[in-house]
Amino acid sequence: FKKLTAGIYILQVSHLGFLAYEKKLEVTTEPQFLEIRLLRSSGELAEVQVVSASRRPASALQLPYLLSVLDLPSQSANMPRSTPEALNTVPGVFVQKTNHGGGSPFIRGLTGNQTLMLIDGIRLNNSTFRYGPNQYLNTIDPFTVQKIEVLPGTGSVQYGSDALGGIIQIFSKEPAFTPQKLVRGSATARYWNSNMEKTASAELDVTSAKTAFSGIFSFKDFGDLVGGDSTGRQTPSGYSETDGQIKAKFKLSPTAEITLANQFVGQRNVDVFHKVRLENFRLNEMGIQRRNLSYLTFKAGGATPLFQQLIVTASLNNTFEERNSQKNANNTLIRERDKVITKNLSAEILSIFGRGWTANTGVEYYHDKVGSERQNINTINGDTQNLRGLYPDGATYANYSLFTLQHLKFSDFTVEAGARYNWFKASVTEAELGKIVIRPGALVFNAALSYQLRQNHFYASVNSGYRAPNLDDMGTLGIVDFRYELPAYDLQPETSLNTELGYKFANERWRMGGALYTNRLNNLITRVQTGDEINGYKVYRKENTEQARISGTEVFGDWKATGSFTTQAFLSYNYGQNISRGEPLRRIPPFNGYLALRYHQRLFYLKAELSWADQQTRLSAGDADDNRIPAGGTPGWQVLNFYSGYNFKPVHLRVSVQNLFDTDYRTHGSGINAVGRSFWLSMQYNFGGL
């Protein structure tokens, strides 16, 4: 870079058949050399450039966090049916499934609104996200995903409330600018035996030097899930889905560009299997589940050290959920509808204060408006009674924050440090209490130090986190899971303090690492029984009553034995204890692991995969009352899968055999058993080099 003046530059490299590469370069007056290694579009885990850990491009190996990156899940050997199921191959993540249309990832023992999920840097979490497992990650189509980053143990400073366990960031596919006009695309069809899946997806890119457009559309029909051994077909559990993404990029100048995007999903008749089978329901489903996210992102390079790059994002996210339920021998159909409109505006500046010292500073604003209603419909005569919904209708929830992240590198040491202040304003109106305004706030920090000794990386980190009480905590009225909840408007934020020691190593053949951590949770919002019952359900109210601790370890190792043979393995263990109650913490995943062996040539691959989990008999009182967990705990299991594929150019054929020995099992806390022995077939046609 001898001929470039000092400053920050954005380098973009793309090549057909490889992942697009983008990197911000800090050019100095001294000569520099940069080696670029493009990764094939294979969907394998790799050490690629990431952004979620520090809100800047940085090597996953060098960052002082034990993070994971999963590229192109829809094109991976595993062919995941859904985005949550793609995370089954990520160290430290355990996926619970309340129903076939769900999939709630546990990160270090926490899930639901205690884990933060983002799409292209925009919060997926809103003010109605539930405590415990939820289905919202399944509203992201894996065909639209470029990569998934999982960052356990940190995230509150980087992205705000809810990251007590960590963050999951989804980066959607986006077209890359090309020197000449290029049209390329693909069409994919998938079939799962016993009519468990029929999917069609199409993708189109039209790119040039200054404009780039992409469109992705998917249509899916999922039949009832067939379990292993004697379980058989689990009816009702199937549903249908339509997904799409449109994205356009415009280069305004050599250092400025704008991105416009829209993502939408519509799911219909998503049955809650365990409710129908175990709780005397004739009907219990999410009749409609919709999400529509539109956003605009503007990026521009600056000419001064304090203003090297500006990123401004504005977004509008509309979510709609309809729940229908009716008990057996009951003429009343209960229909609940919740709509959340989330507006967002954020701005971030990248600054350079000196060689080896950079910073991200920004402001964020999110505003939710909630509409909630309930109707009791007499199925005999059609009479309808309008009642208060699950949440206060017309409630608003505003989220404001300021943050700064400092990145320092000197010699073989790297320091990451930062702070964020968040303040909130929740406004609700209740018939009996009138208008209520709640203004919680929180200040959090993080600090991490890493040391590099040749190919060895050692790190230590301390991360504080918080979760502000949301409308689901404060304003819920009605049946949730197997309980009846009452509103509570005097709650304070939950807080956490995660301390971690870790090690990472990488060379041409090995990539390995591990971490020991302890996460101390304080002021936890928990459900407390009132002693009453309504319609046979025990009544609960939420309070800040408990302290807990989760300690654990994660280790992983990848080995490239030869140019064609690779292995991947990981182990994960969590020990959660509710200190206040002197009992195990709820829903802690069991000791679990993963081993994969893969043989691949240029056009062919074969992969064998063993997933397993130990029994989980450490149960809290809440676990013991949960009808999704067998008496005495969830049994352990081992499952063997095989995957294979061949690229005929331009047709790519993939086949898989899952659960070869037809094991009957379920992941801990799930409300439906996992699939038994099954066969998957996928055929993809590519044109134009996509």
Side-chain angles (χ1 to χ4, degrees):
F1 308 114
K2 292 182 179 180
K3 297 183 180 180
L4 296 178
T5 57
I8 292 290
Y9 293 83
I10 299 176
L11 174 66
Q12 294 178 324
V13 181
S14 61
H15 191 280
L16 297 181
F18 292 82
L19 298 177
Y21 177 93
E22 181 175 306
K23 181 179 177 64
K24 295 185 185 70
L25 300 176
E26 178 185 356
V27 176
T28 65
T29 56
E30 299 178 1
Q32 298 180 57
F33 174 78
L34 176 66
E35 180 181 359
I36 300 173
R37 296 184 180 182
L38 296 181
L39 298 172
R40 290 189 178 275
S41 299
S42 61
E44 296 180 41
L45 281 167
E47 293 294 349
V48 298
Q49 300 299 308
V50 296
V51 298
S52 67
S54 57
R55 300 186 71 121
R56 66 184 179 97
S59 168
L61 180 64
Q62 295 177 347
L63 283 171
Y65 307 106
L66 197 65
L67 57 92
S68 298
V69 181
L70 179 64
D71 282 302
L72 292 169
S74 66
Q75 297 180 27
S76 69
N78 293 60
M79 300 184 299
R81 184 191 67 88
S82 67
T83 297
E85 291 172 20
L87 296 174
N88 287 326
T89 63
V90 175
V93 179
F94 193 82
V95 179
Q96 181 268 12
K97 295 185 64 174
T98 293
N99 56 359
H100 195 33
S104 192
F106 279 72
I107 305 179
R108 295 187 173 178
L110 298 175
T111 193
N113 58 20
Q114 295 179 318
T115 296
L116 178 58
M117 295 180 287
L118 305 112
I119 307 173
D120 295 334
I122 301 167
R123 293 172 61 92
L124 179 64
N125 294 43
N126 62 37
S127 58
T128 65
F129 264 41
R130 298 188 295 274
Y131 168 78
N134 60 48
Q135 77 281 9
Y136 300 111
L137 188 60
N138 194 39
T139 65
I140 300 176
D141 178 15
F143 287 100
T144 67
V145 176
Q146 177 69 36
K147 69 174 178 177
I148 304 174
E149 298 176 6
V150 179
L151 180 63
T154 185
S156 285
V157 173
Q158 295 92 323
Y159 288 102
S161 178
D162 302 353
L164 298 181
I167 64 174
I168 296 174
Q169 170 128 244
I170 310 293
F171 291 93
S172 63
K173 291 180 181 178
E174 64 177 64
F177 297 110
T178 53
Q180 297 177 339
K181 184 177 180 180
L182 179 65
V183 179
R184 54 187 178 177
S186 67
T188 302
R190 292 183 14 167
Y191 177 76
W192 200 5
N193 71 292
S194 301
N195 285 323
M196 285 189 286
E197 179 183 0
K198 290 177 284 187
T199 290
S201 181
E203 181 174 351
L204 176 68
D205 282 8
V206 181
T207 61
S208 65
K210 292 188 176 181
T211 61
F213 168 86
S214 70
I216 304 170
F217 300 93
S218 302
F219 304 92
K220 306 170 185 176
D221 182 17
F222 298 112
D224 291 334
L225 188 65
V226 180
D229 196 12
S230 60
T231 292
R233 189 172 296 274
Q234 300 173 92
T235 303
S237 58
Y239 65 98
S240 60
E241 179 177 332
T242 303
D243 307 278
Q245 174 179 286
I246 299 174
K247 188 174 290 191
K249 295 175 63 177
F250 303 94
K251 186 173 287 294
L252 307 179
S253 73
T255 59
E257 66 182 45
I258 191 170
T259 301
L260 299 170
N262 177 262
Q263 302 170 3
F264 61 89
V265 61
Q267 297 173 341
R268 294 163 293 279
N269 306 117
V270 185
D271 292 293
V272 185
F273 173 75
H274 78 282
K275 291 279 189 179
V276 176
R277 293 294 295 270
L278 301 178
E279 297 183 19
N280 194 35
F281 276 95
R282 176 183 177 185
L283 172 70
N284 197 297
E285 66 171 14
M286 293 178 190
I288 301 173
Q289 177 86 48
R290 288 201 303 259
R291 180 180 62 82
N292 191 307
L293 170 65
S294 300
Y295 69 85
L296 179 153
T297 299
F298 172 75
K299 296 181 181 180
T304 65
L306 295 180
F307 181 68
Q308 284 295 310
Q309 187 181 43
L310 170 68
I311 303 174
V312 178
T313 300
S315 70
L316 179 66
N317 193 14
N318 286 274
T319 61
F320 179 83
E321 180 178 318
E322 177 187 85
R323 298 178 299 278
N324 301 317
S325 63
Q326 184 178 3
K327 286 290 187 76
N328 288 314
N330 192 310
N331 297 329
T332 300
L333 170 65
I334 299 175
R335 176 166 293 158
E336 298 176 289
R337 291 172 173 167
D338 301 321
K339 182 178 182 179
V340 183
I341 301 175
T342 304
K343 300 176 182 178
N344 155 244
L345 181 64
S346 63
E348 180 180 359
I349 295 174
L350 172 65
S351 303
I352 299 178
F353 296 110
R355 189 169 185 178
W357 181 12
T358 63
N360 299 72
T361 304
V363 296
E364 291 182 341
Y365 168 72
Y366 288 85
H367 181 275
D368 289 356
K369 184 174 182 180
V370 178
S372 186
E373 63 181 23
R374 170 179 169 174
Q375 295 177 326
N376 285 5
I377 304 171
N378 188 306
T379 57
I380 302 298
N381 57 27
D383 288 347
T384 300
Q385 182 182 13
N386 296 314
L387 302 171
R388 194 256 203 200
L390 183 62
Y391 308 112
D393 188 45
T396 61
Y397 192 88
N399 176 349
Y400 313 82
S401 62
L402 297 169
F403 69 88
T404 182
L405 294 161
Q406 307 294 316
H407 326 289
L408 298 94
K409 184 173 179 57
F410 51 95
S411 185
D412 296 323
F413 291 90
T414 300
V415 175
E416 296 280 335
R420 174 185 289 253
Y421 184 73
N422 249 131
W423 63 100
F424 303 82
K425 180 181 179 182
S427 300
V428 300
T429 301
E430 293 282 16
E432 297 181 357
L433 302 176
K435 187 172 182 179
I436 305 167
V437 178
I438 304 97
R439 293 184 173 89
L443 174 67
V444 289
F445 71 93
N446 66 358
L449 173 67
S450 66
Y451 173 70
Q452 180 177 351
L453 179 62
R454 297 183 179 88
Q455 296 165 315
N456 301 278
H457 298 259
F458 305 87
Y459 72 89
S461 66
V462 179
N463 297 273
S464 66
Y466 72 104
R467 188 184 74 82
N470 64 14
L471 294 177
D472 183 74
D473 297 308
M474 297 183 290
T476 303
L477 174 63
I479 298 172
V480 180
D481 289 335
F482 53 90
R483 63 186 69 84
Y484 193 98
E485 293 191 2
L486 298 176
Y489 292 111
D490 56 352
L491 300 175
Q492 299 299 315
E494 299 177 323
T495 62
S496 67
L497 184 66
N498 186 87
T499 55
E500 183 173 335
L501 294 173
Y503 167 77
K504 290 183 279 189
F505 171 86
N507 62 18
E508 293 182 355
R509 290 189 175 274
W510 285 94
R511 185 172 68 94
M512 65 181 69
L516 296 170
Y517 71 90
T518 295
N519 193 6
R520 298 182 180 274
L521 304 165
N522 295 295
N523 222 25
L524 287 177
I525 298 172
T526 57
R527 296 180 173 100
V528 178
Q529 287 192 41
T530 65
D532 299 324
E533 285 194 7
I534 297 179
N535 297 329
Y537 289 89
K538 295 179 181 179
V539 178
Y540 291 76
R541 188 190 304 272
K542 292 178 181 174
E543 300 177 6
N544 292 99
T545 60
E546 297 179 359
Q547 295 181 323
R549 182 179 64 252
I550 303 176
S551 299
T553 183
E554 297 164 13
V555 294
F556 69 90
D558 300 338
W559 178 42
K560 185 177 181 180
T562 67
S564 300
F565 186 79
T566 58
T567 67
Q568 178 189 352
F570 68 77
L571 298 172
S572 176
Y573 176 73
N574 295 280
Y575 184 90
Q577 184 70 10
N578 187 315
I579 298 173
S580 303
R581 295 190 180 187
E583 66 174 14
L585 196 61
R586 280 213 67 188
R587 301 189 182 96
I588 292 296
F591 182 38
N592 63 91
Y594 175 87
L595 172 65
L597 309 176
R598 177 176 170 129
Y599 174 82
H600 57 94
Q601 292 288 352
R602 190 169 61 92
L603 301 177
F604 169 79
Y605 72 83
L606 177 64
K607 178 179 179 180
E609 172 187 274
L610 175 66
S611 297
W612 62 270
D614 201 357
Q615 62 181 356
Q616 181 54 287
T617 57
R618 294 193 71 247
L619 304 180
S620 68
D623 291 334
D625 289 339
D626 193 333
N627 56 23
R628 290 168 291 189
I629 299 176
T634 303
W637 48 267
Q638 305 86 35
V639 174
L640 182 63
N641 306 316
F642 286 93
Y643 309 92
S644 183
Y646 191 87
N647 193 346
F648 291 94
K649 290 187 176 182
V651 176
H652 192 176
L653 180 67
R654 297 184 181 94
V655 295
S656 75
V657 180
Q658 294 208 5
N659 197 350
L660 181 65
F661 297 111
D662 205 28
T663 301
D664 192 8
Y665 76 103
R666 67 171 54 184
T667 56
H668 181 58
S670 294
I672 190 168
N673 282 16
V675 68
R677 185 187 298 114
S678 58
F679 307 90
W680 235 320
L681 175 65
S682 173
M683 183 176 295
Q684 179 176 325
Y685 174 77
N686 303 304
F687 66 90
L690 190 65

